[in-house]
Amino acid sequence: MIGESVMRSVLRGIALSLIIGSAAPASAADTLGWPSTGQPNRPIGDWTGVYVGLNGGFGFAHATASGTIAGFNASASQDLSGAIGGGQIGINSQNGAMVLGVEADIQASGVSKDTLLCPASFCGSDVSMTNKVPWFATFRGRAGFVVERFLVYATGGLAYAQLSSTASMPVGGVTVDLASWSDTRVAWTAGAGVEFQVSRNWSTKIEYLYMDTGNFQGSVVVPSVGTLNPTLHVTEHIIRAGLNYRF
């Protein structure tokens, strides 16, 4: 329920920023004292150049784990969620209404969730697994077209994501970690977004990305039962808003 409330707040903030941006003329942006550009004659609607910025949002991931223990199959799935935030740097080249560019970003991530991997009826005690996506980064191409002050674009490319898992079980009333492992995965990502020029140098954006990490392998020794070697697969939906400054 908390995640849904946070997500609603994020989306309200995104909508408000776009409404304020679309209502504010370039002269109002200058009145607010935003930094002046190295290209004072840059026209509104020109997206060419290097930019840097910050972003924040929310991630929704789905993880599946499967494996065998003592000759039996074990599987579990879970939905992870959490806030994300980070920064980006990129460069655009505009030709008429067409804009091509590349962008790199890195994100801190609070996406995590606990799930039951092996029940007490089979493993003697409940074996739980905590999965996390502590951080991820992307390197993507962007291609879009300009409509007045708006840039509508598609994006896709490589992603790097750290996945971490910890398996634990209660022993004598105390939760004991059985194993933990992590792996930095080379993944792929694709999505789309809309960016709005608030002034000659400042723009706001809203963006959606889908990320697929592929499979990675772990190993958990369950006392008196055997070794469980789960295969974990994580996919994530990312919604974020950002603010960019173009030089």
Side-chain angles (χ1 to χ4, degrees):
M1 300 299 103
I2 295 176
E4 293 178 0
S5 176
V6 172
M7 190 57 199
R8 285 195 296 269
S9 298
V10 170
L11 292 176
R12 282 197 295 265
I14 293 169
L16 180 60
S17 68
L18 290 177
I19 292 171
I20 292 174
S22 61
S27 58
D30 296 335
T31 302
L32 291 174
W34 286 323
S36 60
T37 176
Q39 301 181 40
N41 297 320
R42 175 197 296 276
I44 293 290
D46 177 14
W47 295 89
T48 296
V50 176
Y51 62 89
V52 296
L54 298 174
N55 70 78
F58 220 70
F60 303 90
H62 182 73
T64 57
S66 61
T68 59
I69 184 168
F72 293 90
N73 294 324
S75 63
S77 64
Q78 64 181 174
D79 293 320
L80 301 75
S81 61
I84 63 169
Q88 65 270 354
I89 183 170
I91 184 170
N92 291 322
S93 177
Q94 182 172 347
N95 183 7
M98 177 65 67
V99 176
L100 299 177
V102 292
E103 181 175 290
D105 67 86
I106 186 167
Q107 308 289 137
S109 169
V111 175
S112 65
K113 186 65 181 292
D114 299 329
T115 192
L116 178 65
L117 183 61
C118 185
S121 59
F122 185 81
C123 288
S125 294
D126 288 339
V127 178
S128 299
M129 178 180 285
T130 301
N131 294 316
K132 298 180 180 180
V133 184
W135 66 267
F136 66 90
T138 74
F139 181 76
R140 295 168 286 107
R142 299 203 313 170
F145 59 90
V146 175
V147 180
E148 296 183 349
R149 294 192 182 194
F150 290 91
L151 171 62
V152 181
Y153 62 89
T155 183
L158 293 176
Y160 302 88
Q162 184 184 46
L163 308 179
S164 66
S165 297
T166 301
S168 60
M169 66 184 296
V171 177
V174 178
T175 300
V176 176
D177 289 344
L178 300 175
S180 62
W181 62 93
S182 66
D183 191 12
T184 301
R185 305 288 302 170
V186 177
W188 64 269
T189 183
V194 178
E195 194 165 352
F196 175 79
Q197 282 196 8
V198 179
S199 72
R200 289 179 174 83
N201 300 95
W202 290 95
S203 61
T204 60
K205 71 173 183 177
I206 179 171
E207 185 174 73
Y208 165 80
L209 292 177
Y210 174 84
M211 182 171 65
D212 190 325
T213 66
N215 296 329
F216 84 102
Q217 194 79 35
S219 181
V220 182
V221 177
V222 181
S224 303
V225 179
T227 301
L228 175 63
N229 296 301
T231 299
L232 184 68
H233 188 125
V234 177
T235 58
E236 185 170 358
H237 301 273
I238 300 155
I239 299 175
R240 59 189 182 183
L243 178 68
N244 288 329
Y245 178 77
R246 293 188 316 286
F247 296 94

